[in-house]
Amino acid sequence: MNTNEPAVTIAFYVFSALTLGGAAGVVFGRNMFHAALFLVASFFGLAGIYVLLQADFLAVVQVLIYAGAISILVVFAIMLTRQVERGNEWNQLRGPGLLLGVLLLLGLLFVLTGTQWYTGMGPYPADTVSTLARQIFGPWVLPFEVASVLLLAALVGAIIIAREE
Amino acid sequence: MTVLDYLYDLSNLVQAFANWLSTFAPGWVVYWVVGLIAVATTLLFAVNNTLAMNYIERKVIAHFQVRYGPNRAGPYGLLQPVADAVKILLKEPIIPAVADRPVFLLAPIAAFVPAIMPWAVIPFTPQMMVADLNVGVLYVFAMGSLATIPIFMAGWSSRNKFALLGAMRAVAQMVSYEVPLVLSIVGVVISAGTLSLRGIVEAQAVPYVIPQFLGFLVFFVAGLGELNRSPLDILEAESEIVAGYHTEYSGFMFILYYIAEYTHLWAYSAFITTFFLAGWRGPLLPPYVWFVLKMLFVAFLLIWLRATMPRLRIDQLLSLAWKFLLPVALVNVFVTAVGVFIFG
């Protein structure tokens, strides 16, 4: 894919607008259900950007996990919450919330400016799936297994908490 | 090439047209025109199948129940779906006064999109497909996982208790059935060694329905759950919750749900054909004819099930998914992996 093609540029701006607009909708929307839908739109826009970056596996997994599964989790939370349409009340936590938000922004800016962004690193691999698999199940197998065990522990813990005596 | 060659694989026809076009048009025009032809034919095929399925289903079920079915409009009642489509398009679309209006209007469109997206990777012949992704299988399931949200949007925004009940059932059911559905295809992917749909068909010297019978069984049943087809159609059980999530929809908004449901159904038949019935492969007849014949066979199985099986209860439905389909799918993955490790 030639990234200088006008169609690719237009697609990039469309997906960026979808991602950022969706994220803005999540933050500023007062209706919880609408916020969840904006979140799905934002996930979808991000998947489009991955496609433009030729990260096909990442794009598909983004849709499968985030737009498909995480959003369902949010929907479950909405279904199980009373009077969800009313949204959050204003409360005493505005000060600490602002502080945390600014700290997070500063941290992200620090990482953004401190990272060396590689560009134009040779040809793009033809088959991303097997390349990723060789990496995950080769040099990185231990972190992968640790993450799996962590998820399993969380699953077992959730069952123990939810189980009725 | 002779006329027979063109008829044997219709993409040769498009290729010839592209060659003729490129004699005087710039490259990007050819690219867009050919792309649009591919997308338009796939879309039309997918949507027109709704009309066909409407007729086939009513006729076949009628014969199961020893009656005639539609036989007034046109020869053998063939024009009945057309008459029904015109009738329903002329009906007034009613929006409830208390509905969440933007979400209510967006939901039918959002339901249609994930139904149409998987058609991009279906290989009718080695060439007749819009895109041969090397993550094709994952793409199919990613699009399938998007189908739940629009159903919940419809049920939630209608402000109707039956619609909301239907939507809640839909979320519970589709989440449960997605797990065994994805696991059941892992055996096929391990055997074929690729995630590309064309690669999977090309790997099937023997149709995978024989070596991967357990996987086929789980995929077939879990697919019924994902499609919300009878006997697993509790989310629109008309004897309990009116029409489920689309209770408040009428006119062309209802027809969008109808088309989405049948487009899903045909896509599911196409995926069973691709994954388990060796896709376009078969003697004598052109590849796409084989593909469509196999799709029709799967669709007939679905109608057969609907005509014979009673509807399951919600607890039976969920325990079927978690206590039967999931363990069987895991056993299938394990056995296939060991088999491929030893013999492959």
Side-chain angles (χ1 to χ4, degrees):
Chain A
M1 190 166 22
N2 181 10
T3 44
N4 293 323
E5 220 176 280
V8 176
T9 315
I10 294 168
F12 172 76
Y13 281 112
V14 169
F15 287 132
S16 304
L18 191 63
T19 312
L20 295 176
V26 175
V27 178
F28 296 116
R30 300 288 296 153
N31 185 325
M32 201 73 91
F33 184 56
H34 290 178
L37 294 181
F38 276 121
L39 193 64
V40 177
S42 184
F43 288 152
F44 215 76
L46 200 56
I49 293 200
Y50 286 147
V51 171
L52 293 182
L53 292 172
Q54 309 201 346
D56 46 4
F57 180 74
L58 204 56
V60 170
V61 167
Q62 166 81 14
V63 174
L64 189 68
I65 305 289
Y66 284 89
I70 301 283
S71 59
I72 295 294
L73 214 62
V74 177
V75 161
F76 266 117
I78 288 175
M79 284 200 298
L80 299 175
T81 311
R82 281 204 196 96
Q83 298 195 334
V84 72
E85 303 258 327
R86 204 182 53 195
N88 287 335
E89 303 290 334
W90 296 106
N91 58 25
Q92 306 295 314
L93 293 170
R94 290 173 77 180
L98 184 71
L99 189 71
L100 265 180
V102 169
L103 277 178
L104 182 65
L105 182 68
L106 285 178
L108 285 176
L109 281 176
F110 179 73
V111 174
L112 259 176
T113 50
T115 313
Q116 188 179 358
W117 300 97
Y118 293 105
T119 49
M121 294 274 290
Y124 178 77
D127 186 3
T128 45
V129 184
S130 60
T131 318
L132 267 173
R134 266 177 245 291
Q135 288 293 315
I136 288 178
F137 294 104
W140 302 101
V141 69
L142 191 65
F144 175 77
E145 289 297 333
V146 169
S148 314
V149 171
L150 185 71
L151 285 174
L152 183 67
L155 194 68
V156 173
I159 291 172
I160 296 287
I161 291 171
R163 195 180 60 173
E164 287 170 25
E165 290 302 323
Chain B
M1 274 202 254
T2 64
V3 179
L4 274 179
D5 284 329
Y6 286 124
L7 285 180
Y8 191 73
D9 192 333
L10 295 178
S11 62
N12 288 338
L13 212 62
V14 180
Q15 188 60 48
F17 175 71
N19 289 343
W20 171 76
L21 201 66
S22 60
T23 52
F24 59 90
W28 63 273
V29 172
V30 178
Y31 178 81
W32 278 93
V33 167
V34 171
L36 282 178
I37 290 175
V39 172
T41 36
T42 313
L43 267 176
L44 281 176
F45 181 74
V47 173
N48 280 324
N49 272 332
T50 308
L51 288 182
M53 190 63 185
N54 177 295
Y55 177 77
I56 296 169
E57 181 155 37
R58 285 161 73 173
K59 209 71 180 171
V60 171
I61 285 197
H63 282 282
F64 270 114
Q65 297 167 348
V66 203
R67 53 191 176 84
Y68 288 116
N71 62 354
R72 287 278 177 258
Y76 304 101
L78 270 169
L79 292 177
Q80 187 66 44
V82 182
D84 284 348
V86 171
K87 187 194 83 174
I88 205 160
L89 281 174
L90 294 174
K91 297 264 185 195
E92 179 194 4
I94 301 164
I95 303 172
V98 289
D100 187 344
R101 209 181 152 90
V103 180
F104 188 82
L105 292 177
L106 193 63
I109 303 165
F112 188 63
V113 172
I116 215 76
M117 297 278 267
W119 289 83
V121 293
I122 293 174
F124 291 97
T125 77
Q127 278 92 44
M128 262 171 78
M129 56 197 298
V130 178
D132 180 27
L133 303 180
N134 60 9
V135 288
V137 175
L138 280 173
Y139 172 85
V140 169
F141 289 119
M143 292 308 138
S145 75
L146 286 178
T148 320
I149 291 282
I151 290 181
F152 190 74
M153 280 165 75
W156 184 270
S157 66
S158 298
R159 298 284 194 283
N160 174 314
K161 62 181 162 198
F162 296 117
L164 187 59
L165 276 174
M168 289 169 116
R169 287 183 176 190
V171 175
Q173 177 176 346
M174 289 168 94
V175 167
S176 307
Y177 278 85
E178 210 168 303
V179 181
L181 187 75
V182 175
L183 276 175
S184 65
I185 215 68
V186 173
V188 169
V189 172
I190 293 175
S191 307
T194 173
L195 286 169
S196 147
L197 267 65
R198 176 159 62 188
I200 285 176
V201 176
E202 277 164 358
Q204 291 181 59
V206 181
Y208 278 155
V209 66
I210 298 164
Q212 283 290 321
F213 185 72
L214 275 182
F216 170 74
L217 199 72
V218 175
F219 189 86
F220 191 81
V221 179
L224 282 179
E226 278 291 288
L227 285 172
N228 311 312
R229 272 292 289 191
S230 179
L232 309 178
D233 61 343
I234 52 150
L235 85 169
E236 44 193 65
E238 62 270 20
S239 52
E240 301 163 24
I241 51 170
V242 193
Y245 63 94
H246 56 53
T247 302
E248 292 291 351
Y249 283 88
S250 51
F252 69 91
M253 292 195 290
F254 170 74
I255 221 173
L256 272 178
Y257 280 114
Y258 196 83
I259 297 176
E261 203 174 307
Y262 278 103
T263 310
H264 263 307
L265 189 146
W266 280 108
Y268 166 75
S269 317
F271 290 129
I272 288 205
T273 307
T274 310
F275 293 144
F276 296 104
L277 302 179
W280 66 76
R281 294 168 76 142
L284 287 174
L285 293 169
Y288 59 90
V289 174
W290 269 114
F291 195 92
V292 173
L293 281 178
K294 289 172 183 176
M295 269 173 76
L296 278 170
F297 173 69
V298 178
F300 177 74
L301 285 184
L302 292 174
I303 302 172
W304 189 358
L305 271 176
R306 181 176 161 180
T308 33
M309 299 282 285
R311 180 180 292 134
L312 265 68
R313 248 180 13 236
I314 178 107
D315 56 323
Q316 296 170 331
L317 194 91
L318 294 183
S319 51
L320 175 71
W322 292 107
K323 292 180 186 164
F324 178 69
L325 294 179
L326 187 62
V328 171
L330 284 173
V331 166
N332 182 48
V333 170
F334 182 72
V335 170
T336 313
V338 170
V340 169
F341 185 73
I342 294 173
F343 302 108

